[in-house]
Amino acid sequence: MFKLLSRAALAAVLSAVSGAALAESGQISEQDATKQFVIDLGVGAIGKPRYEAADSYLIYPFPLISVGRFYLPGLGQVVDGRRRSGVFFYPSFNYIGERKASDSTDLTGTDTVDWAVEVGLGGGFRTNHFRAYAELRQGFNGHTGQVGQLGVDAIVYPHEKWEVSFGPRADFASEDYMDTYFGVTASEAANSGGRLTAYDPGAGFKSVGLAARASYDWNDDFRLHIQGGYDRLVGDAADSPIADGGSKDQFSLGVGVTYRFAFDVFN
Protein backbone atom coordinates (compact mmCIF):
# COMPACT_ATOMS: atom_id res chain seq x y z
CA MET A 1 0.00 0.00 0.00
CA PHE A 2 2.80 2.43 0.93
CA LYS A 3 4.55 1.65 -2.35
CA LEU A 4 1.43 2.50 -4.33
CA LEU A 5 0.84 5.74 -2.42
CA SER A 6 4.48 6.77 -2.80
CA ARG A 7 4.43 6.08 -6.52
CA ALA A 8 1.22 8.07 -6.98
CA ALA A 9 2.58 11.02 -5.01
CA LEU A 10 5.86 11.09 -6.92
CA ALA A 11 4.06 10.85 -10.25
CA ALA A 12 1.80 13.77 -9.31
CA VAL A 13 4.72 15.96 -8.24
CA LEU A 14 7.01 15.23 -11.18
CA SER A 15 4.35 15.43 -13.87
CA ALA A 16 3.10 18.69 -12.38
CA VAL A 17 6.56 20.22 -12.42
CA SER A 18 6.82 19.59 -16.15
CA GLY A 19 3.25 20.74 -16.70
CA ALA A 20 3.61 24.02 -14.85
CA ALA A 21 7.08 25.04 -16.02
CA LEU A 22 7.72 27.08 -19.15
CA ALA A 23 9.44 24.12 -20.78
CA GLU A 24 6.54 21.70 -20.82
CA SER A 25 7.40 18.24 -22.04
CA GLY A 26 6.11 17.49 -25.55
CA GLN A 27 5.27 14.21 -27.24
CA ILE A 28 7.86 11.49 -26.61
CA SER A 29 9.12 9.42 -29.56
CA GLU A 30 8.77 5.64 -29.57
CA GLN A 31 12.54 5.28 -29.12
CA ASP A 32 12.67 7.66 -26.12
CA ALA A 33 9.63 5.93 -24.60
CA THR A 34 11.84 2.91 -23.92
CA LYS A 35 14.27 4.93 -21.75
CA GLN A 36 14.09 5.27 -17.97
CA PHE A 37 14.71 9.02 -18.03
CA VAL A 38 13.60 11.68 -20.51
CA ILE A 39 14.55 15.18 -19.41
CA ASP A 40 14.39 18.42 -21.38
CA LEU A 41 17.05 21.00 -20.41
CA GLY A 42 17.61 24.43 -21.90
CA VAL A 43 18.00 28.15 -21.43
CA GLY A 44 15.96 31.20 -22.29
CA ALA A 45 15.87 34.98 -22.07
CA ILE A 46 12.99 37.10 -20.85
CA GLY A 47 12.37 40.83 -21.03
CA LYS A 48 10.50 42.19 -18.00
CA PRO A 49 10.38 45.31 -15.81
CA ARG A 50 13.58 46.21 -13.96
CA TYR A 51 11.55 45.99 -10.74
CA GLU A 52 7.85 45.81 -9.89
CA ALA A 53 6.14 49.03 -11.02
CA ALA A 54 9.12 50.04 -13.18
CA ASP A 55 8.62 51.68 -16.56
CA SER A 56 12.00 50.44 -17.83
CA TYR A 57 12.88 46.89 -18.88
CA LEU A 58 15.81 44.50 -18.73
CA ILE A 59 16.53 41.11 -20.31
CA TYR A 60 17.25 38.28 -17.88
CA PRO A 61 18.47 34.71 -18.54
CA PHE A 62 16.62 31.79 -16.98
CA PRO A 63 16.93 27.98 -17.02
CA LEU A 64 14.34 25.63 -18.54
CA ILE A 65 13.64 22.09 -17.37
CA SER A 66 10.89 19.51 -17.74
CA VAL A 67 10.55 15.83 -16.95
CA GLY A 68 9.00 13.48 -19.51
CA ARG A 69 9.94 10.12 -17.96
CA PHE A 70 11.42 9.39 -14.55
CA TYR A 71 12.39 6.07 -12.99
CA LEU A 72 13.06 5.22 -9.34
CA PRO A 73 14.30 1.80 -8.13
CA GLY A 74 11.61 -0.02 -6.22
CA LEU A 75 8.88 2.24 -7.56
CA GLY A 76 9.44 1.90 -11.28
CA GLN A 77 8.43 4.47 -13.89
CA VAL A 78 6.83 7.15 -11.69
CA VAL A 79 6.42 9.45 -14.73
CA ASP A 80 5.81 7.59 -17.97
CA GLY A 81 5.46 10.37 -20.56
CA ARG A 82 1.71 10.17 -21.00
CA ARG A 83 -0.49 13.24 -20.58
CA ARG A 84 -2.62 12.81 -17.46
CA SER A 85 -5.72 14.49 -16.09
CA GLY A 86 -6.43 15.13 -12.44
CA VAL A 87 -5.01 16.80 -9.36
CA PHE A 88 -1.34 17.80 -9.33
CA PHE A 89 1.20 19.39 -6.98
CA TYR A 90 4.60 20.94 -7.63
CA PRO A 91 7.33 23.00 -5.93
CA SER A 92 7.19 26.74 -6.65
CA PHE A 93 10.23 29.05 -6.70
CA ASN A 94 10.96 32.68 -7.54
CA TYR A 95 13.94 35.03 -7.40
CA ILE A 96 13.76 38.82 -7.06
CA GLY A 97 16.89 40.83 -7.73
CA GLU A 98 18.24 43.67 -5.63
CA ARG A 99 16.47 47.02 -5.98
CA LYS A 100 18.50 50.24 -5.54
CA ALA A 101 17.66 53.93 -5.68
CA SER A 102 20.07 54.24 -8.60
CA ASP A 103 17.87 51.90 -10.69
CA SER A 104 15.53 54.78 -11.52
CA THR A 105 14.87 58.40 -10.64
CA ASP A 106 11.44 57.15 -9.51
CA LEU A 107 13.24 55.48 -6.58
CA THR A 108 15.22 58.53 -5.46
CA GLY A 109 15.58 58.51 -1.68
CA THR A 110 14.50 54.90 -1.16
CA ASP A 111 16.55 52.35 0.73
CA THR A 112 18.16 49.40 -1.04
CA VAL A 113 16.06 46.22 -1.01
CA ASP A 114 18.28 43.13 -1.00
CA TRP A 115 17.71 40.16 -3.32
CA ALA A 116 15.04 37.69 -2.24
CA VAL A 117 14.26 34.02 -2.79
CA GLU A 118 10.71 32.68 -2.57
CA VAL A 119 10.02 28.99 -1.93
CA GLY A 120 6.65 27.30 -1.75
CA LEU A 121 4.13 24.88 -3.21
CA GLY A 122 1.63 24.93 -6.03
CA GLY A 123 -1.24 22.68 -6.92
CA GLY A 124 -4.32 22.42 -9.07
CA PHE A 125 -6.32 20.36 -11.52
CA ARG A 126 -5.82 19.79 -15.24
CA THR A 127 -7.21 17.97 -18.24
CA ASN A 128 -5.89 17.87 -21.79
CA HIS A 129 -7.52 21.23 -22.53
CA PHE A 130 -7.83 22.95 -19.14
CA ARG A 131 -5.62 23.80 -16.16
CA ALA A 132 -6.39 25.67 -12.92
CA TYR A 133 -3.82 26.19 -10.18
CA ALA A 134 -2.81 28.14 -7.08
CA GLU A 135 0.67 28.87 -5.69
CA LEU A 136 1.87 30.10 -2.29
CA ARG A 137 5.50 31.00 -1.49
CA GLN A 138 7.47 32.24 1.52
CA GLY A 139 10.07 34.95 1.01
CA PHE A 140 13.60 34.95 2.43
CA ASN A 141 16.32 37.59 2.68
CA GLY A 142 15.01 40.66 0.80
CA HIS A 143 11.50 40.20 2.15
CA THR A 144 9.95 37.77 4.64
CA GLY A 145 6.36 37.96 3.47
CA GLN A 146 4.11 35.55 1.60
CA VAL A 147 3.08 35.78 -2.05
CA GLY A 148 0.80 33.73 -4.23
CA GLN A 149 -0.85 33.41 -7.61
CA LEU A 150 -4.14 32.06 -8.95
CA GLY A 151 -4.36 31.05 -12.60
CA VAL A 152 -6.60 29.34 -15.15
CA ASP A 153 -5.49 28.20 -18.62
CA ALA A 154 -7.12 26.92 -21.75
CA ILE A 155 -4.81 24.44 -23.54
CA VAL A 156 -5.06 23.90 -27.29
CA TYR A 157 -3.09 21.93 -29.89
CA PRO A 158 -3.41 23.80 -33.22
CA HIS A 159 -0.97 21.37 -34.84
CA GLU A 160 0.67 18.10 -33.76
CA LYS A 161 3.91 20.04 -33.15
CA TRP A 162 2.32 22.93 -31.21
CA GLU A 163 0.96 23.26 -27.68
CA VAL A 164 -0.54 26.62 -26.67
CA SER A 165 -1.95 27.71 -23.31
CA PHE A 166 -3.42 31.04 -22.21
CA GLY A 167 -5.52 32.45 -19.41
CA PRO A 168 -5.99 34.98 -16.59
CA ARG A 169 -3.75 35.47 -13.55
CA ALA A 170 -4.19 37.14 -10.15
CA ASP A 171 -1.30 37.78 -7.74
CA PHE A 172 -1.62 38.53 -4.04
CA ALA A 173 0.84 39.33 -1.25
CA SER A 174 1.11 39.80 2.51
CA GLU A 175 1.59 43.15 4.21
CA ASP A 176 5.34 42.53 4.68
CA TYR A 177 5.85 42.03 0.95
CA MET A 178 3.70 45.01 0.00
CA ASP A 179 5.49 47.25 2.48
CA THR A 180 8.91 46.14 1.18
CA TYR A 181 8.26 46.80 -2.51
CA PHE A 182 5.46 49.39 -2.55
CA GLY A 183 5.74 51.16 0.81
CA VAL A 184 7.55 54.45 1.44
CA THR A 185 8.79 55.36 4.92
CA ALA A 186 8.78 58.91 6.26
CA SER A 187 12.57 59.09 5.99
CA GLU A 188 12.51 57.82 2.38
CA ALA A 189 9.89 60.43 1.51
CA ALA A 190 12.05 63.15 3.06
CA ASN A 191 15.15 61.91 1.18
CA SER A 192 13.30 61.83 -2.14
CA GLY A 193 13.21 65.61 -2.43
CA GLY A 194 9.46 65.68 -2.84
CA ARG A 195 9.23 62.91 -5.44
CA LEU A 196 7.60 60.49 -3.00
CA THR A 197 5.15 60.70 -0.12
CA ALA A 198 5.02 58.37 2.88
CA TYR A 199 2.86 55.33 2.18
CA ASP A 200 1.96 52.20 4.19
CA PRO A 201 0.20 49.56 2.02
CA GLY A 202 -1.69 46.57 3.34
CA ALA A 203 -2.06 42.94 2.25
CA GLY A 204 -4.22 41.92 -0.69
CA PHE A 205 -4.27 41.39 -4.43
CA LYS A 206 -1.47 43.33 -6.11
CA SER A 207 -2.04 42.57 -9.81
CA VAL A 208 -4.34 40.91 -12.33
CA GLY A 209 -3.43 40.00 -15.86
CA LEU A 210 -3.13 37.51 -18.69
CA ALA A 211 -0.43 35.01 -19.65
CA ALA A 212 0.18 32.93 -22.77
CA ARG A 213 2.67 30.22 -23.64
CA ALA A 214 3.46 28.27 -26.82
CA SER A 215 5.80 25.33 -27.36
CA TYR A 216 6.88 23.97 -30.74
CA ASP A 217 8.51 20.57 -31.34
CA TRP A 218 11.28 21.39 -33.83
CA ASN A 219 12.17 17.70 -33.89
CA ASP A 220 12.33 14.82 -31.41
CA ASP A 221 15.11 16.54 -29.43
CA PHE A 222 14.76 20.32 -29.79
CA ARG A 223 11.77 22.32 -28.56
CA LEU A 224 11.13 26.06 -28.86
CA HIS A 225 9.22 27.90 -26.10
CA ILE A 226 7.65 31.36 -26.21
CA GLN A 227 5.76 33.06 -23.41
CA GLY A 228 4.29 36.49 -22.81
CA GLY A 229 2.31 38.22 -20.12
CA TYR A 230 0.56 41.40 -19.06
CA ASP A 231 -0.16 42.43 -15.47
CA ARG A 232 -1.98 45.48 -14.18
CA LEU A 233 -1.18 46.61 -10.64
CA VAL A 234 -4.31 46.92 -8.49
CA GLY A 235 -5.27 47.81 -4.94
CA ASP A 236 -2.63 49.18 -2.59
CA ALA A 237 0.12 48.31 -5.08
CA ALA A 238 -1.43 50.55 -7.74
CA ASP A 239 -1.90 53.38 -5.21
CA SER A 240 1.79 53.35 -4.24
CA PRO A 241 3.83 56.50 -5.02
CA ILE A 242 6.40 54.14 -6.56
CA ALA A 243 3.79 52.93 -9.06
CA ASP A 244 2.64 56.49 -9.71
CA GLY A 245 6.19 57.41 -10.71
CA GLY A 246 6.72 54.24 -12.74
CA SER A 247 4.01 52.22 -14.48
CA LYS A 248 0.99 50.22 -13.35
CA ASP A 249 1.17 48.22 -16.61
CA GLN A 250 3.75 45.43 -16.56
CA PHE A 251 4.65 43.38 -19.65
CA SER A 252 6.95 40.40 -20.20
CA LEU A 253 8.12 38.40 -23.21
CA GLY A 254 10.42 35.39 -23.14
CA VAL A 255 11.85 32.84 -25.55
CA GLY A 256 13.92 29.71 -24.96
CA VAL A 257 14.97 26.38 -26.36
CA THR A 258 15.37 22.96 -24.75
CA TYR A 259 17.23 19.80 -25.75
CA ARG A 260 15.93 16.36 -24.81
CA PHE A 261 18.17 13.87 -23.01
CA ALA A 262 16.92 10.27 -22.96
CA PHE A 263 18.95 7.67 -21.09
CA ASP A 264 19.01 4.66 -18.77
CA VAL A 265 20.76 4.58 -15.39
CA PHE A 266 19.56 1.38 -13.72
CA ASN A 267 19.89 -2.09 -15.23
Side-chain angles (χ1 to χ4, degrees):
M1 182 66 176
F2 176 78
K3 178 177 178 179
L4 290 175
L5 290 174
S6 299
R7 181 168 181 166
L10 284 166
V13 171
L14 292 170
S15 62
V17 168
S18 65
L22 169 62
E24 295 190 12
S25 182
Q27 294 291 339
I28 295 176
S29 67
E30 292 183 6
Q31 179 179 355
D32 289 346
T34 65
K35 302 297 184 180
Q36 294 173 338
F37 297 91
V38 177
I39 300 175
D40 295 345
L41 296 175
V43 66
I46 187 168
K48 63 180 183 178
R50 181 184 293 265
Y51 56 88
E52 266 193 302
D55 56 4
S56 59
Y57 288 73
L58 289 177
I59 297 177
Y60 300 88
F62 62 95
L64 296 171
I65 182 171
S66 68
V67 177
R69 287 175 62 82
F70 200 89
Y71 177 89
L72 286 178
L75 296 179
Q77 210 71 46
V78 296
V79 177
D80 58 17
R82 292 179 293 177
R83 288 196 178 100
R84 295 183 182 277
S85 299
V87 176
F88 61 85
F89 299 95
Y90 59 95
S92 178
F93 306 96
N94 189 39
Y95 173 81
I96 304 174
E98 180 184 66
R99 193 189 77 182
K100 308 182 296 296
S102 59
D103 289 340
S104 171
T105 56
D106 299 327
L107 299 175
T108 298
T110 61
D111 298 331
T112 297
V113 179
D114 205 358
W115 58 267
V117 173
E118 298 169 356
V119 180
L121 184 68
F125 178 85
R126 74 161 289 165
T127 67
N128 276 345
H129 297 282
F130 171 82
R131 174 173 58 232
Y133 70 91
E135 296 179 353
L136 184 63
R137 298 185 299 272
Q138 172 65 49
F140 298 93
N141 198 51
H143 79 87
T144 56
Q146 298 78 43
V147 297
Q149 183 179 82
L150 304 175
V152 176
D153 281 325
I155 307 171
V156 297
Y157 309 92
H159 186 271
E160 63 179 6
K161 289 181 174 292
W162 282 98
E163 178 176 332
V164 178
S165 62
F166 53 91
R169 301 287 186 269
D171 290 86
F172 55 92
S174 67
E175 183 175 357
D176 182 272
Y177 179 95
M178 297 287 284
D179 192 54
T180 300
Y181 294 101
F182 296 100
V184 180
T185 65
S187 62
E188 287 177 321
N191 293 333
S192 73
R195 290 178 177 271
L196 301 173
T197 57
Y199 183 67
D200 185 20
F205 282 95
K206 65 184 181 74
S207 68
V208 295
L210 296 169
R213 176 186 305 150
S215 296
Y216 175 74
D217 294 322
W218 191 267
N219 54 40
D220 288 343
D221 295 321
F222 284 98
R223 203 166 199 233
L224 176 67
H225 309 275
I226 304 170
Q227 73 169 21
Y230 165 73
D231 292 296
R232 172 75 178 182
L233 296 179
V234 298
D236 283 8
D239 294 336
S240 168
I242 294 176
D244 286 338
S247 175
K248 297 178 176 64
D249 297 306
Q250 307 280 280
F251 298 90
S252 65
L253 181 63
V255 61
V257 64
T258 54
Y259 181 81
R260 173 161 293 169
F261 296 89
F263 55 92
D264 292 323
V265 173
F266 305 99
N267 294 326

